[in-house]
Amino acid sequence: MDAHTRWAALGTSSASARAYHARVAAMIAGGADLDAEARVVLELAPPPSRVLDAGCGTGRIAATLTRAGCDVVGVDADPHMIGVADETDPATTHVVADLSTLELPGQAFDLVLLAGNVVPYLADGTLHAVLKRLAAHLRPGGHLVAGWGVEGAEIPRGAARVRPEDYDRLAHAAGFTAADRWATWDRHPWSPTAGYVVMTHRRAASLG
Ligand SMILES: C[S@@+](CC[C@H](N)C(=O)[O-])C[C@H]1O[C@@H](n2cnc3c(N)ncnc32)[C@H](O)[C@@H]1O
């Protein structure tokens, strides 16, 4: 699959996916707390909820959620990242697919997660299409949870600058209502000078 994402433009391979996974493992081994995203998910949609990890990468969050008792599907456009996810976490279902055209027939989730800078690594101009496809896979009232770097050094290499207000406007157009906004996954209060944003929305009862 060639989804033309900003992530793919960095040049991905089996080796780069393994290196990404090894970096995450090293951070965890070094004592880093990388479970904050999963804690937010588990509080909003406790097990046995159905969770779509949209842009799951090598599956670090999906694996934690599966172990916690959620029924998780991880989707990513990068087959190399999904290859590592399949190898390291056979208990979770992983799918290679582009979120902007996502079709998982008959699947309705309680929560969709866009964590770890998926939003700024989408292909330019596709955020609205992605949010519409995610809304179509959520049950009415389901949660959409996203976090990404918005300023300075928090915007990773090759990623776009996606302003929270632009995301919020496109989310409304896709059938979502804003719920919470924080500056970290540990829910530090949002401020317009924050470098990172976490936003939660709820899906409307019906989609237009
Ligand atoms: C920085 S990685 C984050 C991976 C994972 N969420 C994590 O936190 O470790 C960003 C991921 O977003 C995925 N991505 C970007 N655009 C996508 C799209 N349109 N469809 C599916 N995945 C996409 C990339 O392939 C990449 O694996």
Side-chain angles (χ1 to χ4, degrees):
M1 155 169 310
D2 183 1
H4 302 297
T5 67
R6 279 180 173 258
W7 179 261
L10 291 175
T12 65
S13 65
S14 178
S16 66
R18 286 178 196 287
Y20 181 94
H21 198 68
R23 275 198 304 278
V24 171
M27 286 166 73
I28 294 169
D33 174 14
L34 299 189
D35 281 341
E37 296 112 320
R39 286 195 291 272
V40 170
V41 171
L42 292 170
E43 186 161 316
L44 290 174
S49 51
R50 299 211 67 226
V51 177
L52 174 62
D53 187 353
C56 64
T58 59
R60 70 182 173 96
I61 306 169
T64 301
L65 296 172
T66 296
R67 278 197 303 275
C70 298
D71 180 5
V72 186
V73 177
V75 170
D76 203 285
D78 183 335
H80 306 295
M81 298 290 266
I82 290 290
V84 174
D86 277 338
E87 268 173 36
T88 55
D89 177 24
T92 298
T93 301
H94 303 107
V95 178
V96 179
D98 182 346
L99 298 174
S100 67
T101 54
L102 186 68
E103 290 277 359
L104 298 173
Q107 303 250 19
F109 294 91
D110 300 301
L111 186 146
V112 174
L113 178 67
L114 286 163
N117 284 311
V118 176
V119 168
Y121 275 127
L122 296 171
D124 290 352
T126 61
L127 179 55
H128 188 219
V130 167
L131 293 171
K132 284 206 297 192
R133 293 317 305 150
L134 297 181
H137 289 83
L138 269 172
R139 66 164 173 77
H143 303 271
L144 173 70
V145 182
W148 71 97
V150 287
E151 290 291 346
E154 295 282 356
I155 301 177
R157 182 172 67 96
R161 180 166 183 263
V162 181
R163 299 185 312 163
E165 53 270 38
D166 292 334
Y167 176 95
D168 199 38
R169 180 174 47 78
L170 293 174
H172 275 268
F176 290 99
T177 304
D180 283 306
R181 190 184 294 197
W182 305 297
T184 69
W185 288 100
D186 285 321
R187 306 179 192 213
H188 286 107
W190 164 254
S191 120
T193 59
Y196 197 89
V197 70
V198 177
M199 297 177 78
T200 75
H201 287 77
R202 303 293 296 263
R203 205 207 93 160
S206 63
L207 298 175

